[in-house]
Amino acid sequence: QVQLVESGGGLVQPGGSLRLSCAASGFAFDMWRMSWYRQTPGKERELVASISSTGGNTNYADAVKGRFTISRDNAKNMMYLQMNSLKPEDTATYYCNVVWNKVYWGQGTQVTVSS
């Protein structure tokens, strides 16, 4: 079965950095676009960044452009989100996502940006 497992979240001060990881299994990882979403209580889940199957095409939400970098390692079935210059408004639970035969989500990893 499809499994997406996020890790790397935590508490960081404003201006700091974190690297999130998503370990994928149960499907042909190298054939599918992958995405990172985030959600805060009371708000809809929002797309943060996505990456094509080969990694050659990436897209970012305006709020994170220039600060976040999405990448993937198809040999390891891993996706990453490097987050720099973090702001308090980046505080959220971050989810890994793939749309294969249906929509799949990981369990999420909490990122808290606070002094």
Side-chain angles (χ1 to χ4, degrees):
Q1 71 276 22
V2 173
Q3 282 195 317
L4 301 172
V5 180
E6 302 94 337
S7 61
L11 173 64
V12 63
Q13 292 187 342
S17 297
L18 281 175
R19 188 195 195 204
L20 305 184
S21 299
C22 172
S25 61
F27 65 103
F29 180 79
D30 60 355
M31 292 183 64
W32 299 95
R33 174 173 287 268
M34 299 289 297
S35 301
W36 286 101
Y37 281 75
R38 67 186 181 186
Q39 188 172 27
T40 55
K43 292 189 177 181
E44 290 189 1
R45 200 167 290 190
E46 64 174 1
L47 178 65
V48 175
S50 66
I51 186 167
S52 63
S53 58
T54 63
N57 176 264
T58 58
N59 292 290
Y60 297 92
D62 287 344
V64 307
K65 279 181 183 176
R67 300 187 297 120
F68 290 11
T69 302
I70 189 171
S71 62
R72 65 191 295 163
D73 184 339
N74 285 348
K76 297 181 178 179
N77 282 13
M78 294 290 295
M79 179 177 67
Y80 306 99
L81 186 68
Q82 178 66 43
M83 305 187 296
N84 298 329
S85 302
L86 282 161
K87 304 176 181 180
E89 51 262 45
D90 295 318
T91 296
T93 301
Y94 285 72
Y95 297 91
C96 180
N97 164 276
V98 66
V99 181
W100 173 41
N101 56 353
K102 65 176 186 178
V103 180
Y104 293 93
W105 299 97
Q107 83 289 350
T109 186
Q110 178 66 36
V111 172
T112 302
V113 185
S114 176
S115 55

